[in-house]
Amino acid sequence: MNKKQIHVFLIIVLLFGLSFIILLPLFRPGFLVTDDGNWMIIRLSAFYQTLREGQFPVRFLGRLNQSYGYPVANFLYPGFMYIGSLLHALGLSFQTSVEAIIVGSVLLGSCFTYFWLRRIFSQVSSIAGAIMYVLMPYLLFDIFKRGSVGEVLAIGLMPVALFSIESKNKWLLAPIVALLAISHNTLAVFFLPFLFGYILLKKYWNVLPHFIFGVGMTSFFWLPAFFERTYVTFDSIAISNPGSYFPISHTIILWSVPLLFSALFLLFKDGYHRSKEFWYVTIIFCLSTFFATKGSAFLWRVADFVKFVQFPFRWLAFFTFLGPWLVAAAISEIKKGKIVFIICGVLLLIGSWVTTYFKSESIIQPEGYFTTNEATTTVKDEYMPKWATKQMKERSTKRIEFFKGQGTIEEKVITTQRIDVVIHAKEESVIQLNTIYYPGWGAMLDGEKGLITYENEYGLMRLSMPAGDHQLFMEFRETFGRFLADLLSAAFGVMYGISLIILIVKSRNKKKRRYKEKNI
């Protein structure tokens, strides 16, 4: 390695070391006690089970909701669950898979924060910004209090996307944007427009198509999630009371004092008055602060605004990458002799909040706790189909049974996604599948399309049939609309693949020309 590579390696070691120190509670036996952490592991295990049973893309988790199933994966960020399923298939437990995603996101985010900032600022400034990323109050709050693995993943991917744009690394941008788009619903809606604006601001027109490719590749998720919202109760349920969460926002902002000082310091620097990038960062920083605090209380009375964002403090997710930029920009303007003292002062200041997270508790749960748990994993079951007006209080002992009539059921294949049985009905009967209906479920009765009814308070699927022996096959598949969304994702993926091949060919031809020129 040359001298430059050695420096980069040492900086990565420094950032890794700091990250592991901050994340030490994750390495204790058991799993951190957080608001959502356990639910994320349970949902991951149900997602993996569904994926293994052959459903792809995964939309309907049949094990959850007391084994009656519901389409939560059709609406809520599947990114971490695809990654977690891969990690589990490689041998990690579901708990360890989630922990690995959290740790990996922090490591990835810290390193690429440095790589991104280094293309703009000095070495010292970039290191300081990357260190600031690891210590960001909102990130620590997400990891140790909320356990929101989807948000942590999105926050970890954002610096990679920014580096890809700044370095004009087109082959990396599209897949990172795609993964970011499915990492967390709300943060994706926050971050993707910011990235688009960043591209326009910097006038990096040649990376714009790859940004579009990345967003387009996630059509399989976003289009059904948007157009099928009318099927579920999400729009009619208030998930949270925003006013009760303003104190959390105020605390996080208070802990982020170094960022505010950085913004004020740069505001009085003549060079930054002419910097479009500074104003872009500062305006978004101020807007996110405004939306997260009581000053925006009147906006939080708008129902649609509340339903999607849910918690005011979510706006402070912008701090996780805007903060490091402001710190790096401020330090780059400070005289070298004062840099060390200022960095030490900032580290002492933020050390006071970092230590509070080491008091977090862990609880040891066997793997079976996660793989057999059948809860809905959402706050107020907001993704339950509207026609299921009442929920079962306990699971059924049978996946399929006679609702009316008498007879026997000969089981061939029974999973949460597929039913293949022979019905021996002694009289005209109604068969009930103890699974909530959702578009995509279909039935073949004796080789012909069966009529599924679900006009009952539980929304369970039922089929009528005459007396006699009948072959019944039921399965959850893609609807025509979802199939079109899948095709659109595939089309954007093909376009990205073609552009990647073109980039590789051009790069090789360029190297060949340089080689020939050197040897002439």
Side-chain angles (χ1 to χ4, degrees):
M1 290 193 296
N2 56 39
K3 190 175 181 180
K4 183 179 179 180
Q5 290 173 328
I6 292 174
H7 284 167
V8 172
F9 174 75
L10 292 175
I11 291 166
I12 291 175
V13 170
L14 168 67
L15 295 174
F16 272 37
L18 176 62
S19 298
F20 278 116
I21 291 173
I22 298 301
L23 298 173
L24 273 177
L26 283 172
F27 297 99
R28 293 198 299 248
F31 190 71
L32 288 179
V33 177
T34 58
D35 296 340
D36 299 329
N38 277 355
W39 300 126
M40 297 298 100
I41 303 175
I42 292 167
R43 194 185 303 165
L44 169 60
S45 71
F47 186 94
Y48 177 80
Q49 177 185 345
T50 303
L51 185 64
R52 192 173 181 181
E53 289 177 353
Q55 188 187 131
F56 182 81
V58 176
R59 303 187 187 278
F60 189 92
L61 302 187
R63 196 193 83 206
L64 301 187
N65 184 33
Q66 299 295 337
S67 83
Y68 295 97
Y70 80 126
V72 60
N74 191 53
F75 298 95
L76 275 183
Y77 47 95
F80 87 90
M81 292 186 285
Y82 282 112
I83 297 173
S85 294
L86 176 61
L87 294 175
H88 183 72
L90 293 175
L92 299 184
S93 68
F94 289 114
Q95 175 187 312
T96 306
S97 296
V98 168
E99 291 170 333
I101 292 171
I102 293 173
V103 173
S105 298
V106 174
L107 297 178
L108 192 72
S110 63
C111 289
F112 275 90
T113 296
Y114 166 75
F115 294 143
W116 166 48
L117 295 177
R118 187 66 185 90
R119 303 192 73 86
I120 308 170
F121 304 109
S122 67
Q123 181 91 292
V124 174
S125 302
S126 303
I127 295 172
I131 291 174
M132 195 66 192
Y133 169 88
V134 179
L135 301 171
M136 284 306 300
Y138 187 86
L139 178 61
L140 298 178
F141 174 67
D142 250 356
I143 295 171
F144 294 104
K145 177 63 175 68
R146 298 187 61 220
S148 181
V149 62
E151 287 198 16
V152 174
L153 176 61
I155 291 169
L157 292 170
M158 194 60 180
V160 187
L162 287 164
F163 166 77
S164 302
I165 294 170
E166 196 64 49
S167 63
K168 300 179 183 178
N169 197 327
K170 292 179 283 189
W171 70 268
L172 180 60
L173 181 60
I176 290 299
V177 166
L179 188 54
L180 176 61
I182 60 173
S183 60
H184 190 274
N185 295 29
T186 307
L187 295 198
V189 173
F190 285 176
F191 292 170
L192 292 178
F194 177 89
L195 291 175
F196 182 74
Y198 190 83
I199 292 171
L200 298 183
L201 182 78
K202 305 284 277 191
K203 297 181 179 180
Y204 293 159
W205 310 118
N206 58 339
V207 304
L208 188 56
H210 291 265
F211 174 82
I212 295 172
F213 292 159
V215 175
M217 284 192 286
T218 60
S219 300
F220 77 93
F221 171 69
W222 281 105
L223 289 179
F226 180 78
F227 287 108
E228 295 183 13
R229 283 175 61 186
T230 56
Y231 296 158
V232 296
T233 59
F234 179 82
D235 288 334
S236 60
I237 292 178
I239 307 300
S240 65
N241 176 19
S244 63
Y245 293 100
F246 284 129
I248 295 175
S249 296
H250 298 158
T251 301
I252 293 174
I253 291 170
L254 180 64
W255 285 347
S256 304
V257 167
L259 312 182
L260 302 176
F261 280 130
S262 298
L264 290 173
F265 174 78
L266 294 174
L267 198 59
F268 294 100
K269 284 289 179 179
D270 292 336
Y272 278 96
H273 286 172
R274 297 186 296 271
S275 169
K276 292 180 180 179
E277 191 172 349
F278 166 72
W279 285 112
Y280 184 57
V281 168
T282 303
I283 289 171
I284 299 299
F285 184 85
C286 292
L287 285 175
S288 60
T289 303
F290 170 72
F291 287 130
T293 52
K294 284 185 177 180
S296 64
F298 66 97
L299 288 173
W300 291 97
R301 298 189 189 102
V302 179
D304 290 338
F305 189 78
V306 174
K307 286 170 189 172
F308 186 74
V309 181
Q310 297 179 358
F311 309 109
F313 56 72
R314 269 193 176 141
W315 285 97
L316 301 180
F318 280 106
F319 280 27
T320 58
F321 57 92
L322 297 182
W325 189 96
L326 287 169
V327 167
I331 290 177
S332 68
E333 293 297 311
I334 299 172
K335 292 182 180 180
K336 292 183 178 179
K338 298 179 180 179
I339 288 178
V340 175
F341 295 101
I342 291 174
I343 291 177
C344 289
V346 169
L347 290 176
L348 287 174
L349 178 63
I350 58 185
S352 62
W353 78 63
V354 172
T355 54
T356 62
Y357 289 103
F358 282 81
K359 300 175 183 178
S360 56
E361 298 179 1
S362 297
I363 186 170
I364 298 176
Q365 299 281 15
E367 183 81 343
Y369 170 80
F370 303 111
T371 58
T372 60
N373 197 302
E374 297 174 346
T376 57
T377 74
T378 47
V379 180
K380 293 188 177 181
D381 303 334
E382 57 271 25
Y383 297 105
M384 200 67 67
K386 287 181 177 179
W387 44 86
T389 56
K390 194 173 181 180
Q391 288 182 248
M392 291 287 195
K393 295 182 179 179
E394 57 185 28
R395 76 189 308 271
S396 173
T397 56
K398 298 177 180 179
R399 178 65 64 180
I400 185 170
E401 62 183 342
F402 279 85
F403 178 72
K404 287 182 180 179
Q406 296 182 32
T408 59
I409 299 175
E410 181 184 337
E411 300 177 357
K412 292 183 177 180
V413 176
I414 292 187
T415 70
T416 62
Q417 313 300 316
R418 185 178 294 107
I419 300 292
D420 188 358
V421 296
V422 176
I423 309 292
H424 303 288
K426 295 180 180 179
E427 57 186 318
E428 187 174 341
S429 304
V430 176
I431 297 297
Q432 176 172 285
L433 180 64
N434 288 317
T435 298
I436 288 179
Y437 173 77
Y438 191 74
W441 275 103
M444 296 293 291
L445 183 62
D446 297 328
E448 296 182 1
K449 187 176 180 180
L451 178 62
I452 296 176
T453 61
Y454 51 94
E455 292 81 11
N456 57 83
E457 58 186 354
Y458 299 107
L460 301 179
M461 291 182 277
R462 293 170 182 168
L463 292 96
S464 299
M465 60 186 64
D469 296 338
H470 305 282
Q471 176 72 45
L472 176 63
F473 180 80
M474 300 181 69
E475 189 174 31
F476 184 83
R477 297 179 179 177
E478 294 289 73
T479 61
F480 181 70
R482 287 182 218 141
F483 181 68
L484 290 180
D486 297 341
L487 286 180
L488 188 59
S489 285
F492 276 105
V494 170
M495 285 189 281
Y496 166 68
I498 292 172
S499 67
L500 187 59
I501 292 171
I502 293 172
L503 285 174
I504 294 171
V505 171
K506 283 184 176 180
S507 177
R508 286 184 177 180
N509 290 339
K510 195 174 182 179
K511 287 180 180 180
K512 286 180 181 179
R513 285 197 300 270
R514 287 179 180 176
Y515 179 79
K516 289 180 179 179
E517 289 172 0
K518 286 181 180 180
N519 290 276
I520 292 176

